[in-house]
Amino acid sequence: MKTVTARAFSNIAFIKYWGNTDDQLRLPVNSSLSMNLDGIYTETSVRWDEALASDELTLNNEQASGASLNRVVAHLDSIRQRANIQTYAQVLSSNNFPTGAGIASSASAFAALTLAATQAAGLDLNKHELSTLARIGSGSASRSIPAGFVEWHKGESHDESYAESIAAPDYWDLVDVIAIVNSGHKAVGSREGHHSANTSDLQGARVAGAAQRLEICKKALLERDFATFAEVVEHDSNLMHAVMMTSRPPLFYWLPPTLAIMEQVRLWREVGLHVCYTLDAGPNVHCLCLAQDADEVKAGLAKLTGVEQVRSAIPGGAAHVISVSEG
Ligand code: DP6
């Protein structure tokens, strides 16, 4: 028996994933593009143990039960099937960012779990297969397997829907400066959100233009063209939130400070700072900027009303194994 510990970074999408064609397999309606967040990670240890009568999960030093345990058990089932084993697992997982800090943890969590659990089961999967497996646990987790700047190809089947690196972390010196406006906010989970995306009249229009926006964003990224990048990233985030707000029932993730920060980011850009915003399924604002402007953006955000905390991350690497121990 061996214990494998893996670490995976969270990621922020430039072109968003919102809605599935297959909820079970998490096949998305559109391809997406993201950047891993260095220093914002989940570390997970897995040991398959013949002596266990069920899977056990410890999350941030607390024994987990209920929905979070069920979701991990379902993911371990996929891995058991792939590895052709029946054994239960002991899973220890912790985030290096406070839970409830408003930073999504499912991407880093399921990427780390997939890598640790497959390695502990004696499988040595390539990045493509790890990404497809991680995707079943959480869609955005597929993007936390490869390094740096990542494209998730939507695909038409389980094997075709995977993420791959399009540029290494050091390709472009972008920084994600995160303005946390409400760490205690209980948002409607992404899973329900993906489910209701189709109830918005705007989802069809969002999806119809997604491939083109992805191409524009990818080209801007590869050419390090910040002005084009900023415009398409903000537009894509606005489109996703328009879909959320017009879903039935509607999902409003923004809080008053959220809108104020978005406005401020646009004003900063007008006066020459290289910064743009993007938001996930929550009220916190990810301010993507060039490294040269990061200190100014951080200082400016810290002064705004309603900003509780500012964190920042440069592009992060791939999910990786930290340690393997026998016994
Ligand atoms: C708004 O990957 O969290 O952050 O597959 O249900 O776990 P599940 O959803 P998740 O959805 C992420 C949605 C988003 C946009 C994005 O990251 O692309």
Side-chain angles (χ1 to χ4, degrees):
M1 252 178 321
K2 58 182 174 180
T3 302
V4 176
T5 303
R7 181 184 285 185
F9 299 110
S10 181
N11 68 72
I12 178 69
F14 302 153
I15 299 296
K16 306 293 188 184
Y17 151 50
W18 197 246
N20 293 318
T21 53
D22 183 323
D23 281 326
Q24 236 63 55
L25 286 177
R26 286 191 162 80
L27 298 179
V29 288
N30 62 276
S31 298
S32 54
L33 203 63
S34 62
M35 166 181 125
N36 285 349
L37 300 177
D38 187 63
I40 299 181
Y41 59 80
T42 302
E43 226 169 76
T44 301
S45 303
V46 176
R47 187 166 57 100
W48 299 98
D49 187 341
E50 303 283 354
L52 290 176
S54 63
D55 293 317
E56 288 178 6
L57 170 66
T58 304
L59 214 51
N60 298 318
N61 293 319
E62 281 179 31
Q63 189 82 26
S65 57
S68 31
L69 175 65
N70 292 343
R71 195 166 171 185
V72 165
V73 168
H75 197 58
L76 292 170
D77 284 340
S78 308
I79 292 167
R80 272 187 277 269
Q81 203 179 5
R82 175 64 184 78
N84 203 15
I85 54 172
Q86 272 86 43
T87 326
Y88 294 110
Q90 173 113 57
V91 179
L92 296 180
S93 187
S94 59
N95 299 324
N96 82 325
F97 47 97
T99 314
I103 299 165
S105 58
S106 69
S108 51
F110 283 94
L113 176 63
T114 304
L115 181 56
T118 52
Q119 288 273 333
L123 297 172
D124 193 18
L125 307 182
N126 61 28
K127 281 206 163 51
H128 177 134
E129 202 179 343
L130 282 171
S131 178
T132 60
L133 260 182
R135 189 202 73 238
I136 305 243
S138 172
S140 55
S142 66
R143 297 190 310 237
S144 282
I145 294 289
F149 299 94
V150 172
E151 178 175 0
W152 172 13
H153 305 282
K154 67 180 175 120
E156 304 295 332
S157 64
H158 173 65
D159 286 344
E160 281 177 10
S161 188
Y162 72 102
E164 65 178 342
S165 181
I166 57 166
D170 63 359
Y171 185 81
W172 200 16
D173 51 0
L174 278 186
V175 182
D176 181 11
V177 183
I178 312 166
I180 296 165
V181 304
N182 189 341
S183 50
H185 187 75
K186 265 269 164 227
V188 173
S190 302
R191 197 199 292 234
E192 292 86 337
H194 290 296
H195 220 75
S196 70
N198 261 333
T199 63
S200 166
D201 297 331
L202 306 184
Q203 172 72 342
R206 187 194 74 83
V207 173
Q212 194 186 11
R213 288 193 299 284
L214 191 144
E215 283 315 311
I216 292 169
C217 188
K218 189 168 159 180
K219 185 162 180 278
L221 195 160
L222 294 176
E223 290 175 358
R224 303 184 185 92
D225 167 1
F226 192 84
T228 307
F229 175 81
E231 201 177 313
V232 71
V233 165
E234 288 188 356
H235 184 51
D236 192 82
S237 172
N238 294 343
L239 278 168
M240 180 180 73
H241 282 270
V243 167
M244 292 163 162
M245 289 176 198
T246 52
S247 292
R248 283 163 286 186
L251 297 172
F252 290 96
Y253 287 110
W254 301 358
L255 293 173
T258 311
L259 193 58
I261 297 165
M262 291 159 75
E263 183 61 23
Q264 186 60 62
V265 165
R266 275 194 298 265
L267 291 174
W268 282 334
R269 196 154 73 251
E270 268 171 31
V271 297
L273 284 187
H274 300 86
V275 60
C276 65
Y277 65 75
T278 186
L279 284 84
D280 280 345
N284 303 319
V285 186
H286 291 253
C287 301
L288 300 165
C289 60
L290 291 187
Q292 67 196 57
D293 292 334
D295 284 343
E296 212 169 326
V297 170
K298 276 181 219 170
L301 287 172
K303 281 190 214 138
L304 297 181
T305 312
V307 175
E308 289 178 2
Q309 220 191 101
V310 178
R311 280 194 73 121
S312 70
I314 62 173
H320 54 286
V321 171
I322 302 276
S323 67
V324 180
S325 61
E326 294 299 328

